């Protein structure tokens, strides 16, 4: 009886079915990983500041951060996020750069020091001149690298 059953099953049928199942499991795991990394990418992009206090004619004007241009000067108060990459023009503060560098201790900044967008000003008021906006900021470059890694296959 066993000989009859064995003759009904094509040689290698079981191994082909197992490989197909293994392939399906791999595709499922890859899709799940892409969904998770997509959520991480969206969370990363949400880290950026939504608004900036731009100095126009000596007055602070609240504008959407995506309207900033290179050369604009904007104010960052304690507890606020730096709107875009720039250089401190006046004031001193400590900036929490842990989301970019992983360093847990805030970095002291003053006139002439570079600051990255989406970092948090922890203590003093600073005026920053924008040097990079939009897709050229450090945060946007990190997001682009994550997206490229997500699109590629290991």
């Amino acid at each position: 009886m066993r000989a009859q059953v064995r003759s009904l099953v094509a040689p290698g049928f079981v191994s082909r079915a197992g490989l197909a199942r293994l392939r399906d499991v791999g595709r499922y795991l890859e899709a799940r990983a892409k969904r998770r990394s997509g959520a991480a990418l969206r969370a990363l992009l949400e880290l950026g500041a939504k608004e900036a206090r731009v100095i126009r004619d000596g007055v602070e004007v609240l504008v959407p951060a995506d309207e900033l241009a290179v050369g604009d000067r904007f104010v960052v108060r304690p507890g606020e996020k730096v709107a875009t990459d720039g250089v401190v023009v006046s004031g001193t503060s400590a900036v929490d750069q842990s989301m970019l560098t992983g360093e847990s201790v805030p970095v002291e900044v003053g006139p002439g020091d570079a600051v990255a967008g989406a970092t948090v000003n922890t203590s003093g008021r600073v005026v920053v001149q924008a040097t990079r906006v939009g897709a050229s900021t450090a945060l946007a470059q990190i997001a682009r690298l994550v997206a490229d890694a997500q699109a590629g296959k290991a």
Side-chain angles (χ1 to χ4, degrees), residues 94-111:
V95 177
D96 179 1
Q97 298 180 338
S98 60
M99 60 84 58
L100 285 178
T101 65
E103 176 63 43
S104 61
V105 178
V107 177
E108 293 292 326
V109 296

Side-chain angles (χ1 to χ4, degrees), residues 66-128:
D66 58 357
E67 290 182 12
L68 284 172
V70 172
D72 281 349
R73 291 183 179 207
F74 58 95
V75 175
V76 186
R77 296 179 179 164
E80 293 181 342
K81 291 180 181 179
V82 177
T84 192
D85 296 357
V87 175
V88 176
V89 176
S90 67
T92 59
S93 183
V95 177
D96 179 1
Q97 298 180 338
S98 60
M99 60 84 58
L100 285 178
T101 65
E103 176 63 43
S104 61
V105 178
V107 177
E108 293 292 326
V109 296
D113 292 332
V115 290
T119 56
V120 179
N121 179 13
T122 61
S123 58
R125 177 186 183 274
V126 291
V127 176
V128 178

